[in-house]
Amino acid sequence: MWRMPSTGHLCLVMERIQGLDLESAWPTLTKDDKSAICARIKMSVDYLRSIPPPGYYGGVSSTKLPHDFFLDKQGNKEICGPFQHNSDVHAALIKKLRMIYAGTGNVDHITAKAIYERHLDTILGVHPPVFSQSDLQRKNILFKKTVDSIEVAIIDWEAAGRYPSYWEYAIIFCSLQWNDDWPQYFEDFVGPWPNEASAMRMLYQDLWF
């Protein structure tokens, strides 16, 4: 993406990718197909994680973290980032939560949620920044079977950025439905962070609902 200096127009180069979305096709796939597709996804995830970290948690080019949990209309950097330290990311989540409940006027609810301020940083621990797509739902994964192999493409990079290494797993764990075998395959190609994911799922309920 770039802006033309002469006219000010913003140009975005995109590619049309042919294939089926994994969410629609998943119930019809064989175990071998599922394993082959997930093996390809794992290659992509491993590649993203191999990109050398630039020393911050944030969006591309040291911008704010693009996930909704770090959105603040006023642009408060303590919530939006970018952040230099792992603990700053966790502090931002707590500040976002306090901001949400401050808007409701429910002082008792804010006080009750002080458990996050006391323990969230300890529970989530210290994790280096790694590049994460941050929305690896099946609807964002396309695949196409060829004679010799299966091609896979990941779309919708709106929330991508450099997050703590547990983030890719934990943020999807928050919304898993557990009504088929997808969670098991997801764990295989992303890698599990069960402690961090459990804490994030609890926090997710307060931030999202």
Side-chain angles (χ1 to χ4, degrees):
M1 179 185 291
W2 77 96
R3 189 177 298 278
M4 297 177 64
S6 58
T7 64
H9 287 98
L10 188 66
C11 303
L12 174 64
V13 176
M14 302 181 72
E15 177 185 3
R16 182 179 181 182
I17 302 174
Q18 295 183 351
L20 302 173
D21 72 272
L22 199 56
E23 184 168 25
S24 299
W26 189 259
T28 69
L29 296 175
T30 66
K31 289 185 177 181
D32 287 343
D33 285 342
K34 291 177 180 180
S35 296
I37 290 170
C38 290
R40 297 291 297 177
I41 300 172
K42 186 179 188 305
M43 290 175 61
S44 298
V45 172
D46 289 347
Y47 174 76
L48 291 178
R49 289 179 175 174
S50 72
I51 299 174
Y56 69 87
Y57 302 81
V60 178
S61 300
S62 193
T63 55
K64 63 183 181 180
L65 275 172
H67 193 276
D68 285 345
F69 283 1
F70 302 95
L71 176 64
D72 177 52
K73 293 181 179 179
Q74 305 303 318
N76 182 353
K77 289 188 175 181
E78 292 186 346
I79 295 177
C80 299
F83 306 106
Q84 293 299 312
H85 304 290
N86 184 97
S87 58
D88 296 335
V89 178
H90 303 155
L93 293 170
I94 295 170
K95 289 183 175 68
K96 180 63 178 287
L97 184 64
R98 291 188 66 86
M99 182 181 71
I100 290 172
Y101 283 114
T104 68
N106 191 334
V107 178
D108 291 336
H109 207 155
I110 297 173
T111 302
K113 296 305 177 182
I115 184 174
Y116 292 119
E117 297 187 41
R118 296 194 300 271
H119 303 298
L120 186 65
D121 198 46
T122 300
I123 295 171
L124 293 179
V126 179
H127 296 270
V130 298
F131 198 85
S132 304
Q133 194 268 355
S134 195
D135 195 15
L136 278 178
Q137 301 181 63
R138 281 179 287 188
K139 68 178 183 179
N140 292 331
I141 301 171
L142 304 180
F143 75 96
K144 182 174 64 175
K145 294 180 67 173
T146 64
V147 176
D148 301 320
S149 64
I150 292 181
E151 298 177 4
V152 172
I154 300 172
I155 62 173
D156 194 355
W157 294 78
E158 179 182 4
R162 292 175 171 88
Y163 297 84
S165 55
Y166 65 80
W167 182 266
E168 194 84 88
Y169 176 79
I171 198 62
I172 295 299
F173 180 90
C174 293
S175 57
L176 287 175
Q177 298 301 308
W178 306 96
N179 55 9
D180 60 17
D181 56 357
W182 171 245
Q184 176 185 339
Y185 283 93
F186 180 78
E187 183 174 300
D188 287 343
F189 66 75
V190 173
W193 296 93
N195 294 336
E196 293 82 353
S198 299
M200 281 297 299
R201 188 170 181 124
M202 181 174 67
L203 184 62
Y204 176 89
Q205 298 297 321
D206 288 310
L207 284 171
W208 201 254
F209 300 105

